[in-house]
């Protein structure tokens, strides 16, 4: 079955996925250029993510959608198991949001262009002025009523285990007094860990757990620390047993 699945990926899923990617990029770029970026910056990417998972025959289970309130802006924070985290969250979270992503992703062919046109938030840590621009963009997004999604580990895991959570997203939530929603991703590391980028994917189920929002109980360093700890514990609580426990990521 493994080799049949690889042949299917090569002859069917890959060509159709490339077509879907090109069409999605064109829809985002043209749509955002004409106006209504709130729609075109989110829905084509959502449909694209669903199509990619459907083409690869990967089943998805989502728990906890009822924990989110309609019309509420959130700072979503998730563990970062692998590339398929993007498809899982974008396709199945069910909430319009902007990504906070590494500046280097802007250079990705096609996808980076679409991300820039749809005003995703690129995190540039080189210099105080660039850091300020990143937070200004995130603040503007949240104040405008849209949520943001962050991988607070900063990079994909090498082991499937979680690394430390950096505090940037939690500081932003604290400043704007917004709730943080922890997300637990299971299965992405088993499908395609970062050490196998560019290789065939392995069939595995994906699961997204949407935890209860963590509302601010104050403002300042104590609230940031408390929210960070609560979010980390919530994400960890729903990880598969084999990935439980902290393991340091060498590039954190």
């Amino acid at each position: 079955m493994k080799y049949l699945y690889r042949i299917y990926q090569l002859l069917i899923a890959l060509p159709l996925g490339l077509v879907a990617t090109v069409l999605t990029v064109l829809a985002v770029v043209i749509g955002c250029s004409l106006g209504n970026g709130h729609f075109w910056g989110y829905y084509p990417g959502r449909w694209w993510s669903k199509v990619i998972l459907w083409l690869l025959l990967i089943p998805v289970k989502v728990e906890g959608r009822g924990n989110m309130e309609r019309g509420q802006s959130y700072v979503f924070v998730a563990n970062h198991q692998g590339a398929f985290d993007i498809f899982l969250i974008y396709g199945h979270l069910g909430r319009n949001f902007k990504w906070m992503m590494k500046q280097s992703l802007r250079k990705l062919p096609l996808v980076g262009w679409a991300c820039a046109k749809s005003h995703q938030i690129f995190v540039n840590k080189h210099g105080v002025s660039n850091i300020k621009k990143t937070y200004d963009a995130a603040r503007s997004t949240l104040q405008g009523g849209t949520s943001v999604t962050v991988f607070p580990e900063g990079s994909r895991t090498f082991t499937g285990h979680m690394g430390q959570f950096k505090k940037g997203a939690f500081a932003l939530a604290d400043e704007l007094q917004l709730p943080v929603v922890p997300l637990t991703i299971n299965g992405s590391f088993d499908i395609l860990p970062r050490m196998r980028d560019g290789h065939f994917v392995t069939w595995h189920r994906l699961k997204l757990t949407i935890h209860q929002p963590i509302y601010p109980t104050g403002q300042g360093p104590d609230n940031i620390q408390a929210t960070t700890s609560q979010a980390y514990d919530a994400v960890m609580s729903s990880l598969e047993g084999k990935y439980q426990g902290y393991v340091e990521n060498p590039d954190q």
Side-chain angles (χ1 to χ4, degrees), residues 37 65 193 206:
R65 277 208 189 99
L206 280 171

Side-chain angles (χ1 to χ4, degrees), residues 113 136 161 176 200 218-219 235:
W113 184 31
D136 286 346
H161 295 260
L176 300 178
F200 288 102
Q219 192 165 23
V235 175

Side-chain angles (χ1 to χ4, degrees), residues 15-167:
L16 291 179
L18 288 174
V19 171
T21 300
V22 171
L23 291 176
T24 300
V25 169
L26 290 175
V28 171
V29 171
I30 294 172
C32 289
S33 297
L34 294 176
N36 196 6
H38 186 71
F39 177 90
W40 292 105
Y42 170 67
Y43 284 98
R46 181 186 182 189
W47 299 327
W48 169 69
S49 297
K50 286 177 175 286
V51 166
I52 296 298
L53 295 177
W54 179 76
L55 283 173
L56 290 168
L57 313 176
I58 294 173
V60 173
K61 181 178 181 180
V62 180
E63 292 183 347
R65 277 208 189 99
N67 291 330
M68 298 182 292
E69 296 180 19
R70 185 182 297 273
Q72 172 67 57
S73 294
Y74 293 109
V75 177
F76 294 102
V77 295
N79 59 311
H80 205 0
Q81 283 202 335
F84 276 74
D85 301 345
I86 307 299
F87 303 124
L88 177 60
I89 294 177
Y90 221 165
H92 295 276
L93 179 59
R95 182 58 62 105
N96 197 326
F97 66 88
K98 299 293 185 186
W99 293 100
M100 290 187 71
M101 59 179 66
K102 289 182 177 180
Q103 179 72 16
S104 59
L105 296 178
R106 195 168 195 154
K107 299 177 182 178
L108 284 175
L110 296 178
V111 174
W113 184 31
C115 288
K117 290 294 291 185
S118 58
H119 300 290
Q120 306 302 324
I121 302 163
F122 293 98
V123 180
N124 189 337
K125 299 178 182 179
H126 300 292
V128 174
S129 62
N130 287 322
I131 294 173
K132 184 179 183 300
K133 287 179 183 178
T134 297
Y135 278 91
D136 286 346
R139 187 183 300 109
S140 176
T141 294
L142 288 163
Q143 290 174 332
T146 302
S147 300
V148 299
T149 298
V150 186
F151 295 114
E153 292 169 273
S155 58
R156 290 175 290 165
T157 176
F158 280 99
T159 63
H161 295 260
M162 285 205 303
Q164 295 177 335
F165 277 6
K166 298 176 182 179
K167 295 183 179 179

